[in-house]
């Protein structure tokens, strides 16, 4: 049984990586003086996700656990940062609204990516033996 990522899930990882890069860029452009980390983290983790997808498409077996760990870590971080952002908005800081929305979108994307990764575990192709005649 193959433990590598199927092509469809690898494609989702590549799209997810692009999404993280775009969101990091949007965060940076919304506040260039204070949001340099948004650009760096979005770019770094986006590039890693694209790498996991590309390696998974090539059949590299350790790309699946790497994708799980990276995406799971990001989901936890985004959940924490989104809750902090929304609490700030509710405390009367409307300037935090855009960041809270952006981070919530990144959390949703991470949750969808984790769902796709878990579904790909269940859809592992079974090896078939072919007899030679």
């Amino acid at each position: 049984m193959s433990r590598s990522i199927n092509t469809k899930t690898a494609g989702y990882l590549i799209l997810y990586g692009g999404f993280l890069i775009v969101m990091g860029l949007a965060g940076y452009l919304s506040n260039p003086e204070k949001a340099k980390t948004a650009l760096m983290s979005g770019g770094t983790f986006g590039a890693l996700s694209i790498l996991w997808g590309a390696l998974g498409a090539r059949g590299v077996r350790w790309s699946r656990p790497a994708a799980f760990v990276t995406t799971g870590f990001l989901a936890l971080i985004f959940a924490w940062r989104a809750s902090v952002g929304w609490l700030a908005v509710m405390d009367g800081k409307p300037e935090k609204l855009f960041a809270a929305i952006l981070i919530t979108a990144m959390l949703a994307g991470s949750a969808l990516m984790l769902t796709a990764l878990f579904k790909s575990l269940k859809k592992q192709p079974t090896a078939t033996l072919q007899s030679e005649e």
Side-chain angles (χ1 to χ4, degrees):
M1 174 161 70
S2 172
R3 301 294 290 167
S4 62
I5 299 172
N6 64 39
T7 308
K8 184 177 180 180
T9 305
Y12 289 153
L13 272 168
I14 292 169
L15 289 172
Y16 172 66
F19 169 74
L20 291 177
I21 291 169
V22 169
M23 292 293 108
L25 183 60
Y28 172 75
L29 292 175
S30 73
N31 191 355
E33 298 82 32
K34 294 184 179 180
K36 289 183 176 92
T37 56
L39 182 61
M40 291 186 296
S41 61
T44 300
F45 287 108
L48 279 175
S49 293
I50 290 169
L51 177 64
W52 304 153
L55 290 174
R58 291 177 169 248
V60 177
R61 292 160 52 125
W62 57 264
S63 61
R64 178 194 301 271
F68 266 113
V69 169
T70 304
T71 308
F73 172 74
L74 288 173
L76 290 173
I77 296 298
F78 294 147
W80 168 61
R81 292 292 301 140
S83 64
V84 169
W86 287 111
L87 286 172
V89 170
M90 289 190 299
D91 280 345
K93 296 179 183 169
E95 69 276 7
K96 301 287 186 179
L97 180 62
F98 184 75
I101 291 170
L102 204 67
I103 296 167
T104 302
M106 294 168 89
L107 172 59
S110 298
L112 288 172
M113 189 65 244
L114 280 173
T115 301
L117 285 167
F118 277 113
K119 283 184 180 179
S120 76
L121 282 175
K122 295 177 184 175
K123 293 182 180 179
Q124 282 296 308
T126 56
T128 58
L129 298 175
Q130 296 179 355
S131 62
E132 293 185 26
E133 295 180 27

